[in-house]
Amino acid sequence: GAGVSQSPRYKVAKRGQDVALRCDPISGHVSLFWYQQALGQGPEFLTYFQNEAQLDKSGLPSDRFFAERPEGSVSTLKIQRTQQEDSAVYLCASSLAIGAGGTDTQYFGPGTRLTVL
Amino acid sequence: AQRVTQPEKLLSVFKGAPVELKCNYSYSGSPELFWYVQYSRQRLQLLLRHISRESIKGFTADLNKGETSFHLKKPFAQEEDSAMYYCALSYNFNKFYFGSGTKLNVKP
């Protein structure tokens, strides 16, 4: 079946522009995560949704970053007034649920590579 | 605060040699520990998790709470094991911390 998809795969923005990154999770997956991966680093947690509820946004680096998942499926990560330090790969992951027995497996998308000039 | 440390950026071994990728974490509670792998031109995927206590592709990892370590081991490395490996920690099921990754290169 289809995995997690992200679009666009590559985005070049001029400093100061706004960008929107889309994530289509696996159908039926309740949980959705966004990560930022800078060059040579591991993924860094940004935010987490359970259905349409954003339960944790403590990893968002500034108020220029905003994420939403209005219908509990597709999610959008928006970055306003992009800066050069925002250049990174943005990863989305989804999982079936957060069960009492622990964390379900996260399935990652291919990522969106954002370059801010 | 650095929660997951992978001290080696690059590890090169010959085919058939044992391999150990190190991971240390800092957390006083009972976290869940994971190893993720990213093969060339593929997406990040789960390799194994400590609560499953399973062996995947010949890899195992034991959680050592005394040493706060979760090293990944394989007795005989294969060329197809060449990839980026990330250790990750979760302690409240909705936030994950990843290490900076170790690139494993298995030479023929």
Side-chain angles (χ1 to χ4, degrees):
Chain A
V4 178
S5 60
Q6 293 185 245
S7 61
R9 292 293 311 279
Y10 303 91
K11 176 70 179 176
V12 178
K14 291 184 178 179
R15 189 162 54 95
Q17 281 185 333
D18 298 348
V19 298
L21 313 179
R22 177 187 169 109
C23 172
D24 283 81
I26 294 172
S27 178
H29 276 197
V30 169
S31 302
L32 186 145
F33 303 80
W34 282 100
Y35 295 88
Q36 180 190 61
Q37 186 172 21
L39 191 63
Q41 300 297 317
E44 195 162 329
F45 173 85
L46 293 178
T47 187
Y48 160 69
F49 290 86
Q50 190 166 339
N51 294 308
E52 69 278 4
Q54 189 175 20
L55 299 186
D56 191 326
K57 57 181 181 179
S58 61
L60 296 176
S62 77
D63 59 7
R64 296 187 295 105
F65 287 71
F66 172 77
E68 61 182 3
R69 194 186 185 197
E71 296 178 0
S73 178
V74 171
S75 177
T76 304
L77 176 67
K78 297 178 180 177
I79 309 173
Q80 297 177 321
R81 305 181 303 281
T82 52
Q83 304 294 314
Q84 285 188 320
E85 61 262 28
D86 300 335
S87 295
V89 174
Y90 290 85
L91 295 170
C92 175
S94 70
S95 67
L96 188 59
I98 301 297
T103 310
D104 279 323
T105 299
Q106 289 186 80
Y107 294 89
F108 281 83
T112 294
R113 182 178 296 278
L114 173 65
T115 303
V116 182
L117 303 177
Chain B
Q2 185 69 32
R3 290 176 174 83
V4 181
T5 303
Q6 294 180 250
E8 303 139 329
K9 280 204 171 295
L10 174 65
L11 185 62
S12 287
V13 301
F14 285 101
K15 175 183 172 182
V19 63
E20 180 179 66
L21 288 81
K22 291 183 168 49
C23 172
N24 288 87
Y25 66 92
S26 56
Y27 183 68
S28 58
S30 298
E32 282 196 82
L33 275 297
F34 307 80
W35 276 99
Y36 282 81
V37 61
Q38 188 167 26
Y39 300 102
S40 179
R41 289 184 292 278
Q42 293 188 26
R43 58 188 68 187
L44 197 60
Q45 59 185 286
L46 179 67
L47 180 62
L48 57 80
R49 51 197 298 180
H50 88 272
I51 61 170
S52 301
R53 303 187 66 81
E54 57 193 347
S55 173
I56 303 293
K57 299 184 178 181
F59 284 98
T60 58
D62 290 320
L63 178 61
N64 185 323
K65 291 187 177 181
E67 296 181 358
T68 60
S69 68
F70 188 57
H71 303 327
L72 183 68
K73 300 177 184 178
K74 185 169 182 176
F76 307 104
Q78 303 299 315
E79 289 181 69
E80 55 265 30
D81 296 329
S82 296
M84 280 294 296
Y85 290 81
Y86 295 94
C87 182
L89 173 156
S90 175
Y91 59 84
N92 63 358
F93 308 142
N94 62 6
K95 185 180 286 188
F96 287 77
Y97 296 94
F98 284 80
S100 55
T102 298
K103 184 174 182 179
L104 175 64
N105 180 32
V106 181
K107 297 176 284 189

